[in-house]
Amino acid sequence: MPHPRTRTARAAIAGAAVLLAAALGTAAPAAAQTSYKVNYSWSNAFATSLDPGKAPPGANDWSCAPSAAHPRPVVLVHGTFENQANNWQGAAPILANHGYCVFSFNYGGSALSGPVMGIEKIEDGAAQLAAFVDRVRAATGTDKVDLVGHSQGGMMPRYYLKNLGGAAKVHTLVGITPSNHGTDLDGIAELGKLIGVIGPVSAACPACGEQIQGSSFLTALNAGGDTVPGVSYYTIVTKNDEVVTPYTSGELTGPNTTNVVLQDQCRLDQSDHLEAPYSPVVLHLVLNALDPDHPGPVPCQVVLPLTGPTGPVTGS
């Protein structure tokens, strides 16, 4: 055992080192960033998201200050019949874990804390998105945000960009299985069946009718081109999409547009429409889309429809 005088000397030296480091601006680093658990299974998220009014893990820290590495906050936009809680238990935590300020909200429902959202007129949902983006910009002190949306949430922001002044406030729109050019009636009915909603194509879901191929809403939205100047567009589609059919109707054409077919990136990933925003492959594609100057390795592993990866996820 060291002599007491030796221990005292060591303590004094350690204390002096701390003081010197502080004086030089090299003090010990701050506490590590919170690490949120990432959910990679839609079925698990759907079964456990009991409070649709509650933001997913990692989202809606209104004191979050964007960093130099990630200067724009990310706003997550859920899909039809979904809500912020059951749509973003994968994307919200993984984005927060990578240092982004992440925000989510509910839109398109009679009560903004209800379980079934995204069913009212898409134009009204876009107006709610516009108000939420302004709130995020004010809280974070940023001029622009990035948007990540699923299904209707990947298409609806295009109305905001085109018609509500959103192009001046958005840098990048990432759409995961977006309904950009609509789907057929079977696709909307299949989504209602998967979510457990009966009779989706009715007066109770104006957004459903607006997403059917050839609707007056989509005809007007896509007139004059899919994109608007100043915004980067990135879409991720899956060949197993049983809701947006054909799956290629989610793709966009125009300047600053990138379309990725999931199975071309990783043929082992068989995610369907609902599992796609939980797939570890898709989530890493989203990270790269938001920061294309610093792309990271994208994993490739077996991912099943609805239930997710069959083994451990690495590199998350």
Side-chain angles (χ1 to χ4, degrees), residues 254-308:
N256 300 319
T257 298
T258 301
N259 298 298
V260 175
V261 178
L262 178 58
Q263 286 73 33
D264 291 345
Q265 175 70 45
C266 174
R267 65 183 181 83
L268 299 177
D269 191 331
Q270 296 300 310
S271 293
D272 63 342
H273 184 83
L274 293 176
E275 176 60 28
Y278 283 92
S279 156
V281 182
V282 170
L283 292 175
H284 278 76
L285 288 171
V286 170
L287 288 169
N288 288 348
L290 295 175
D291 190 8
D293 292 333
H294 305 92
V298 178
C300 184
Q301 65 183 101
V302 175
V303 183
L304 300 180
L306 298 178
T307 58

Side-chain angles (χ1 to χ4, degrees), residues 57-172:
N60 292 2
D61 175 3
W62 293 97
S63 66
C64 185
S67 65
H70 303 304
R72 294 181 301 276
V74 179
V75 174
L76 304 174
V77 191
H78 65 72
T80 308
F81 300 141
E82 297 178 296
N83 59 62
Q84 63 176 337
N86 62 32
N87 209 161
W88 300 122
Q89 291 184 40
I94 200 169
L95 286 166
N97 289 346
H98 280 77
Y100 286 91
C101 293
V102 186
F103 298 89
S104 67
F105 72 116
N106 286 331
Y107 72 90
S110 56
L112 294 185
S113 60
V116 180
M117 306 299 298
I119 59 175
E120 302 294 342
K121 291 179 64 176
I122 295 173
E123 301 93 318
D124 295 340
Q128 291 175 300
L129 170 62
F132 191 76
V133 166
D134 284 345
R135 181 185 175 194
V136 170
R137 290 170 60 239
T140 58
T142 52
D143 292 331
K144 292 190 176 185
V145 304
D146 290 330
L147 303 177
V148 176
H150 174 230
S151 192
Q152 180 192 159
M155 174 273 292
M156 174 268 276
R158 293 178 51 228
Y159 184 93
Y160 163 58
L161 299 177
K162 182 176 182 178
N163 300 303
L164 302 180
K169 303 173 183 179
V170 174
H171 182 276
T172 299

